[in-house]
Amino acid sequence: MIKKAKGLDAMAEAQGQIAEAVRVFDWGAAKRSAESYAGMLRASAGLQPEVLAVLQLLQGNHQYDAVMEVADAALAIAPDDRKVWKHYAQALVDQGRTAPALRIYSRIVDDPASPADDHAEARGGVGRCYKQLFLTTGDPGRRVEYLRRALEAYGGLYFADRSRYWHGINVAALLFRAAQDDLSVPGIPDPRQITAEVAGEVLSTVKKLKLKDRDSWATATACEAHVARGEVEDAVLRARKLVADKTTDAFVIGSLLRQLLEVWKLEPDKELGTRLIPLLRSALVKKRGGGVTLGTEDVAAGRLETLEKVFGADRYQPLQWWRNGLSSCRAVARIDDRNGYPHGTGFLVRGTDLHPSLPELLVVTNGHVVPDSVTQEDAVVTFHGLDNDEAASGPFNVRRLCWYSPNGHRTVDTALLELDVTPKDVEPLPLVKTVKLNDESRTYIIGHPNGIAQPQFSVQDNLLLDYDDTRLHYRSPTEPGSSGSPVFDGQWRVIGLHHAGSSTMPKLHNQGGTYPANEALRVDAIRSAMRADLLKG
C-alpha cells in the first residue's frame, strides 16, 4: 500500500508540474512533464481518473504530441476507453492526420456498445474528418463525396436534435462553402438559403441557453453564425467577448480561427477578415504566452491603418518598412520531414557571407532541427512565401550538411544546409558583419510557428532585453516551430538565429535569476565558431 501511495503521489506531482508549465507557457517543460507522467501511468496498476483532466488541459493548449503520449499510455492500460480514444483522435486530426482519426471515430460509431453520448461525439468527429478531407482534396469527385459525408454526419446529429447547435453551424458553413465553390449538393437546390436558416436557428438556440451553459464554445458558435448572416458588428462583438473570457483556451480560439479561414474563407482585405483575423490571432498567441504574429497577407499596404489601430502608436512603421519585410519572408522556409510533419524554420543566405569556402547559397537553421530532430536525408525545405508559386517554392532536398554545431551551453546550435536545387528569384537575406546593439534595439522575427504554412511576422513586444558575445535575449513572441528563424534588426538585416525560449530563461552576465525571454545565437558568434572549426580541419 505504501508503494502504491508513493506512486500516486509522484503522478499527482507530475500532474501539478504539467499544470504549472502550462500556466507559465513553458511548453518544453509541459512536454517533459507529460512524458514523465505517461511513464508513471504505464507502470501503474490501473487508469487513474485524473487522466482525462490531464488530456483536456494539454489539448486545450494545443500540446498535441503530449496528448498522444499520455493517451497512448492510458490506452495500454484501458484499451477500450472511448473518452481517451476521443482525445487521441482529436490530437491526430488537429495535426492533419485525418485518416487514422477517421478510423478511430468510425469504430466508436460502429460499436453497438457505445453509449449515446459517445456515439454522437464520435459521429461529430467523423464529420470533422470528412470536412478536412473536403477542404484538402483536389479531386472534384472525391470532394463532393467528402462534402456529402460531412453533411450526413453533422446534419444527422443536428436535425435530429436542434440543441446540438455546434453541429448545426458546421452544416451552415459547409453549405456556404459548397455554394461558394459552385458545388451541387443533392436535395438542396439553394445551399445559401439553408445556411441562413440554420445560422438563424443556431443563434436562437444560443440566446436561449441558461447562464451556466453559455460557455466559450457557445460564444464562438454565435460569432460564426453572425458571420454566416453577414452581421459584421455582431460577429466582432462576439469575438471580443470570446477573447476577453478568461475561461477561453487556445483550443477554442484556434478552432474558430481555423473555421473562419479554411471554411468561410474570410479574406484579410475585406471588412470581416480585417476586423476578426488580427483580433483572434492576437488572442491565440497571447493564450500561448506570446504576443502577436501576422501572416504575410496581414501586412498588405491596404491594411496598415487597421494594424496601427491594433498595435498602438508605438508600433507605427512606414510602408517601405513593411514592403522590405514582405520581401524578406520570401527567403524564409519551413523544414519538414518526408511525411510533411514540420520540424522548424530555416532561411536562405549567401554562403560567402559566412566563409569564402562555402557554397554560394545555403539554408541556415538550428542544429537541433537538422540533424537532431530530422536527418538531412529526410529533411525537405519549402519556401512558402513565394506568392503561391508551387514550382518555385519546392520542396527541395538537402544535398549536404555543410557544417553543424549541436545545441549546448558552449555551442551555437547551427546547421548550414546545401540544397539539391536552389530556389529561383529568391534574394538571400543579408547578414550583418558585426552585430551592433544598444538599449533601444528591437528585434523582429519571421518564421513558421506551430508549423503554419505561411511565414508569420512577429512584430510586437519586441524589445531587446540583453546580450553578450554569443547570445541575444529579447521579447519578440515565438512559438514551437520558430526554431531556426532569422532574427532581424530594424533594417531587416539578420543579426541572430532564434533557437530557444523560456519563461525562466537564466539571465546573462552571471547576474543570477531568470526572466521570460527568447534566445538567439548572434550571427558574428556563428561565423567565429564555424571559422574556428574550419581552422581545426
Side-chain angles (χ1 to χ4, degrees):
M1 290 294 295
I2 294 176
K3 184 176 181 181
K4 182 179 179 181
K6 286 182 178 179
L8 293 176
D9 288 344
M11 291 181 70
E13 182 180 356
Q15 185 181 1
Q17 290 170 348
I18 294 171
E20 176 61 18
V22 168
R23 187 184 70 81
V24 298
F25 312 113
D26 189 342
W27 306 124
K31 182 179 180 181
R32 291 191 296 273
S33 297
E35 289 171 348
S36 176
Y37 178 83
M40 287 183 278
L41 188 60
R42 289 187 176 93
S44 67
L47 193 61
Q48 302 302 315
E50 76 277 358
V51 168
L52 293 177
V54 171
L55 290 169
Q56 186 63 49
L57 178 64
L58 293 168
Q59 185 173 326
N61 287 276
H62 287 193
Q63 301 306 298
Y64 300 127
D65 286 338
V67 169
M68 295 177 70
E69 182 77 22
V70 174
D72 185 75
L75 291 169
I77 301 169
D80 296 325
D81 193 303
R82 299 180 186 88
K83 294 189 183 302
V84 175
W85 275 115
K86 180 203 75 170
H87 283 287
Y88 194 92
Q90 184 70 66
L92 284 169
V93 74
D94 281 317
Q95 288 181 315
R97 302 174 184 180
T98 313
L102 180 59
R103 177 65 65 88
I104 293 169
Y105 285 130
S106 297
R107 286 187 64 183
I108 298 174
V109 169
D110 295 338
D111 184 356
S114 296
D117 287 346
D118 288 350
H119 182 277
E121 200 164 355
R123 194 172 176 189
V126 168
R128 167 76 194 281
C129 291
Y130 280 122
K131 178 176 70 174
Q132 290 304 118
L133 289 169
F134 162 66
L135 294 172
T136 57
T137 300
D139 179 72
R142 281 188 294 145
R143 284 197 78 213
V144 171
E145 177 61 15
Y146 292 144
L147 172 64
R148 184 190 67 78
R149 293 192 179 193
L151 287 170
E152 183 180 73
Y154 285 130
L157 290 163
Y158 177 68
F159 292 117
D161 182 357
R162 294 295 205 280
S163 68
R164 294 185 174 125
Y165 57 86
W166 53 94
H167 296 310
I169 200 61
N170 276 297
V171 171
L174 286 168
L175 288 174
F176 175 88
R177 181 60 181 270
Q180 191 177 46
D181 291 356
D182 199 24
L183 295 177
S184 176
V185 183
I188 303 178
D190 189 352
R192 289 186 187 272
Q193 180 183 344
I194 306 298
T195 292
E197 291 175 359
V198 171
E201 290 178 353
V202 166
L203 278 174
S204 179
T205 302
V206 170
K207 289 176 181 177
K208 293 176 183 177
L209 289 175
K210 295 179 180 179
L211 186 61
K212 64 182 180 67
D213 296 324
R214 294 179 187 175
D215 58 8
S216 54
W217 284 110
T219 306
T221 303
C223 175
E224 197 174 338
H226 285 303
V227 169
R229 291 157 61 93
E231 297 165 347
V232 177
E233 295 301 330
D234 290 324
V236 173
L237 284 174
R238 294 280 190 174
R240 286 176 177 166
K241 181 180 179 181
L242 179 71
V243 302
D245 185 350
K246 293 182 179 179
T247 66
T248 303
D249 60 25
F251 186 68
V252 177
I253 297 173
S255 297
L256 175 59
L257 181 60
R258 180 181 59 246
Q259 184 87 340
L260 295 177
L261 290 172
E262 294 183 0
V263 186
W264 296 98
K265 295 185 72 174
L266 288 196
E267 300 178 16
D269 59 343
K270 300 294 175 59
E271 185 178 11
L272 260 174
T274 296
R275 298 183 65 182
L276 283 179
I277 293 173
L279 174 65
L280 293 172
R281 277 187 172 150
S282 172
L284 180 59
V285 181
K286 286 178 181 177
K287 288 288 182 182
R288 297 170 180 162
V292 178
T293 58
L294 303 173
T296 52
E297 75 278 7
D298 291 321
V299 293
R303 303 207 53 223
L304 295 183
E305 181 181 351
T306 300
L307 293 174
E308 287 163 354
K309 290 178 182 177
V310 173
F311 299 141
D314 63 333
R315 296 295 184 266
Y316 284 122
Q317 295 288 0
L319 176 59
Q320 189 57 48
W321 187 87
W322 289 105
R323 285 175 172 162
N324 291 340
L326 279 171
S327 178
S328 297
C329 82
R330 292 171 56 82
V332 177
R334 194 178 76 181
I335 298 177
D336 303 342
D337 60 28
R338 296 195 180 279
N339 293 319
Y341 186 80
H343 289 263
T345 301
F347 54 98
L348 195 70
V349 304
R350 294 192 189 282
T352 51
D353 286 349
L354 290 167
H355 193 274
S357 67
L358 290 172
E360 180 183 359
L361 294 174
L362 292 172
V363 168
V364 179
T365 188
N366 288 140
H368 79 256
V369 174
V370 179
D372 292 352
S373 178
V374 55
T375 66
Q376 63 265 35
E377 293 84 5
D378 291 332
V380 290
V381 180
T382 307
F383 294 82
H384 289 280
L386 298 186
D387 305 321
N388 297 319
D389 186 344
E390 294 183 4
S393 63
F396 302 103
N397 297 317
V398 177
R399 174 185 295 167
R400 182 163 61 106
L401 178 64
C402 295
W403 184 72
Y404 160 63
S405 176
N407 187 19
H409 178 63
R410 298 184 179 280
T411 63
V412 290
D413 188 16
T414 303
L416 305 181
L417 313 177
E418 182 183 13
L419 303 182
D420 60 345
V421 178
T422 301
K424 296 179 180 179
D425 302 322
V426 177
E427 187 68 24
L429 296 178
L431 307 179
V432 295
K433 293 184 178 179
T434 303
V435 178
K436 296 181 180 180
L437 303 166
N438 57 54
D439 293 340
E440 301 298 319
S441 297
R442 291 186 178 271
T443 56
Y444 304 91
I445 296 175
I446 302 176
H448 290 275
N450 286 316
I452 297 173
Q454 280 199 330
Q456 304 286 304
F457 290 72
S458 179
V459 296
Q460 193 182 40
D461 195 18
N462 52 9
L463 185 66
L464 181 71
L465 298 175
D466 202 358
Y467 54 93
D468 61 15
D469 291 341
T470 303
R471 287 164 169 75
L472 311 171
H473 282 181
Y474 45 90
R475 286 288 300 275
S476 302
T478 59
E479 301 174 68
S482 296
S483 292
S485 297
V487 180
F488 298 91
D489 63 11
Q491 301 301 316
W492 293 109
R493 297 172 301 199
V494 179
I495 59 174
L497 170 65
H498 173 75
H499 87 124
S502 174
S503 60
T504 55
M505 180 72 71
K507 294 183 178 181
L508 299 173
H509 306 294
N510 298 315
Q511 296 179 62
T514 64
Y515 55 4
N518 284 301
E519 184 175 270
L521 294 317
R522 292 174 55 149
V523 164
D524 41 12
I526 294 171
R527 190 181 285 117
S528 296
M530 183 193 61
R531 288 177 175 175
D533 275 1
L534 290 174
L535 286 173
K536 294 175 185 176

